[in-house]
């Protein structure tokens, strides 16, 4: 009963923080966490008009991931939707605050559920899902507008037309580096911008018309920072995302993760970044991507499971310091395939965050691309790592690697092939190597002379007469 009451309290608290009072029209003081933010002007406008609520600690959390339930609540309010449909989703109960909002959204016709008759109100909304909602909401053109983003291949087939149409209308924009980030979780700040731009494009809307934001996407840093995690759950087994984005639920501040994103992605590896709110351990598990699956619980992530009985493609844990970004490699992947990396954080007291999903798509491979990498042994001064490449019948191709410290910049593919670091300096000894082994044969590289308790990056590549394979990155940390 206490757990149920805590959940209900968090739900009410969550929606009250998300939505302000329409009767509030006085200027609100600028919260510290939006000062200097790319969306400060738009966020402040929404705060002043009462469209958006803040948190009890005076913050707005502009980079916090917004859930499907929270997003439809904002749209309903700004567009003035009031008619409700009858729902039969198995995971949306009438006692839940989000029931009426989902009912309005379904009636308005801009969102639906999943094939297994769930709605997943607590799941973070992705950028490509936001584009689809905008296209349905505004009845955008369904003609095939060319996509011009560098990561077009990562946009799901069911979202391509919507992304193109929404981008053409500048309702949802790409990043300055030319990418769209389709599978990144949408943040509160991005949601405000997109909904503002959507209202402007809605002819004859009866809802409130906020001032449109000049842009709906943040300027990314060297490593894109998409969002923070959904509200944490009190203990492992609490489900994915937990709560409703509230930030309340008692006097205990539960762990959370932010800036869950990826850096380099190869054919069989992905480099993942996470910022924990507290010191503890980050757990992760990798699953083949599917729109129609329920995320694992925190307990399942800890055990390397993607459901009650199925082990993940890859899983592990890494020690983490509160407020400091931690990176880890996931491997054992297949080329040109969509995956979801589920992440959860446990603090020293055994409190758990919610489960945050990160969707990635591996790069296409070739007949001589690297097919597997991994670690077989780690000590204080040595590491044994392995790699294999190619398919049966592939001509022998040089398999190469370089090792740099984790704090060093990544070398280019050409530099890796030439045994150089990012400064163009030729590495010597154990810091680079080449093996001429038959394709599909797993070859072990012995790395010696490493420093104890130090993080390194190992880069692998094959060079077929000057044609380079996708780069694979493997992170290691000595004992």
């Amino acid at each position: 009963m206490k757990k149920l009451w805590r959940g209900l309290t968090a739900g009410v608290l969550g929606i009250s923080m998300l939505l302000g009072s329409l009767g509030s029209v006085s200027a609100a003081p600028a919260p510290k966490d939006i000062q200097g933010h790319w969306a400060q002007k738009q966020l402040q406008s929404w705060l002043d008009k009462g469209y958006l609520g803040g948190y009890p600690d005076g913050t707005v959390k502009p980079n916090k991931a917004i859930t499907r339930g929270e997003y439809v609540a904002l749209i309903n309010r700004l567009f003035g939707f009031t008619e409700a449909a009858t729902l039969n989703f198995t995971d949306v109960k009438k006692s839940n605050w989000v029931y009426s909002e989902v009912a309005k959204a379904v009636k308005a016709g801009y969102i639906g559920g999943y094939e297994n008759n769930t709605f997943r109100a607590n799941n973070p909304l992705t950028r490509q899902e936001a584009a689809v909602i905008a296209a349905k909401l505004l009845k955008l053109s369904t003609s095939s507008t060319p996509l011009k983003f560098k990561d077009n291949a990562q946009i799901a087939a069911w979202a391509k037309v919507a992304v193109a149409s929404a981008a053409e209308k500048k309702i949802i924009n790409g990043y300055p580096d030319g990418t769209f980030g389709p599978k990144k979780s949408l943040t509160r700040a991005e949601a405000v911008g997109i909904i503002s731009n959507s209202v402007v494009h809605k002819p004859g809307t009866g809802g409130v018309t906020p001032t449109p934001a000049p842009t709906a996407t943040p300027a990314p840093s060297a490593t894109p920072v998409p969002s923070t995690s959904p509200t944490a759950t009190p203990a492992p087994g609490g489900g994915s995302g937990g709560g409703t984005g509230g930030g309340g639920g008692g006097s205990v501040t539960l762990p959370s993760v932010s800036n869950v994103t990826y850096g380099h992605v190869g054919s069989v590896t992905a480099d993942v970044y996470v910022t924990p709110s507290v010191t503890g351990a980050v757990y992760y598990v990798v699953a083949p991507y599917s729109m129609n699956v329920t995320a694992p619980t925190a307990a399942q992530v800890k055990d390397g499971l993607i459901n009650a009985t199925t082990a993940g493609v890859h899983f592990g844990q890494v020690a983490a310091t509160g407020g400091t970004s931690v990176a880890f490699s996931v491997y054992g992947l297949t080329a040109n395939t969509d995956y979801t990396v589920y992440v959860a954080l446990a603090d020293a007291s055994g409190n758990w965050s919610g489960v945050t999903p990160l969707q990635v798509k591996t790069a296409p491979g070739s007949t001589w691309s690297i097919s597997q990498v991994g670690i077989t042994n780690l000590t204080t001064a040595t590491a044994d790592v392995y790699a294999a490449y190619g398919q049966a019948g592939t001509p022998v191709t040089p398999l190469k690697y370089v090792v740099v410290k984790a704090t060093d910049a990544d070398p280019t593919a050409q530099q890796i092939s030439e045994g150089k670091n990012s400064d163009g300096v030729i590495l010597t000894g154990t810091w680079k190597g080449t093996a001429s082994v038959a394709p599909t044969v797993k070859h072990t590289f012995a790395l010696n002379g490493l420093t104890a308790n130090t993080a390194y990056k190992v880069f692998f590549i094959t060079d077929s007469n000057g044609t380079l394979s996708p780069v694979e990155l493997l992170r290691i940390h000595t004992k």
Side-chain angles (χ1 to χ4, degrees), residues 1 11 27 61 74 87 97 105 129 138 142 170 218 237 263 285 292 312-313 340 357 367 380 413 446 451:
M1 184 64 185
K61 298 186 182 359
L74 278 177
L87 300 182
W97 69 266
E129 288 174 332
L138 305 176
T142 56
K170 299 191 182 301
V285 64
N292 301 308
V313 174
T340 303
T367 55
T380 56
T451 303

Side-chain angles (χ1 to χ4, degrees), residues 186-406:
L186 192 74
T187 67
R188 282 163 58 91
E190 289 178 313
V192 166
I194 293 168
I195 295 173
S196 294
N197 292 339
S198 296
V199 172
V200 169
H201 284 277
K202 177 70 172 177
T205 177
V208 188
T209 305
T211 304
T215 178
T217 54
S221 55
T223 300
V225 180
S227 64
T228 57
S229 67
T231 301
T233 48
S240 64
T244 56
S251 59
V252 176
T253 301
L254 297 172
S256 63
V257 291
S258 62
N259 305 338
V260 181
T261 188
Y262 56 84
H264 177 79
V265 178
S267 291
V268 296
T269 61
D271 197 32
V272 179
Y273 299 85
V274 177
T275 302
S277 63
V278 296
T279 297
V282 171
Y283 293 83
Y284 57 91
V285 64
V286 184
Y289 172 73
S290 174
M291 281 287 291
N292 301 308
V293 298
T294 300
T297 65
Q300 290 168 343
V301 172
K302 179 179 182 294
D303 293 336
L305 301 175
I306 58 178
N307 56 45
T309 59
T310 308
V313 174
H314 178 64
F315 60 90
Q317 70 178 90
V318 58
T321 302
T324 302
S325 179
V326 62
F328 55 87
S329 297
V330 294
Y331 50 91
L333 311 182
T334 300
N336 199 32
T337 303
D338 287 299
Y339 290 93
T340 303
V341 183
Y342 295 104
V343 180
L345 169 68
D347 65 17
S349 300
N351 297 308
W352 283 81
S353 73
V355 176
T356 299
L358 173 68
Q359 295 165 7
V360 299
K361 183 174 184 178
T362 52
S366 64
T367 55
W368 65 87
S369 291
I370 293 171
S371 56
Q372 58 177 309
V373 299
I375 305 167
T376 55
N377 186 50
L378 279 173
T379 70
T380 56
T382 65
D384 292 331
V385 298
Y386 64 84
Y389 75 95
Q391 304 169 3
T394 301
V396 174
T397 303
L399 173 61
K400 303 179 179 183
Y401 78 88
V402 299
V403 182
V404 299
K405 287 189 174 181

Side-chain angles (χ1 to χ4, degrees), residues 3 26 49 58 164 168 204 207 212-213 227 232 249 261 276 287 323 326 427 479:
K3 185 175 181 180
S26 58
K49 293 178 173 67
E168 183 182 31
S227 64
T261 188
V326 62
L427 300 172
K479 295 182 179 179

Side-chain angles (χ1 to χ4, degrees), residues 428-451:
T428 59
T430 193
W431 306 108
K432 73 168 185 177
T434 301
S436 294
V437 295
T440 74
V441 174
K442 188 167 73 173
H443 180 77
T444 297
F445 297 95
L447 310 181
N448 302 302
L450 307 180
T451 303

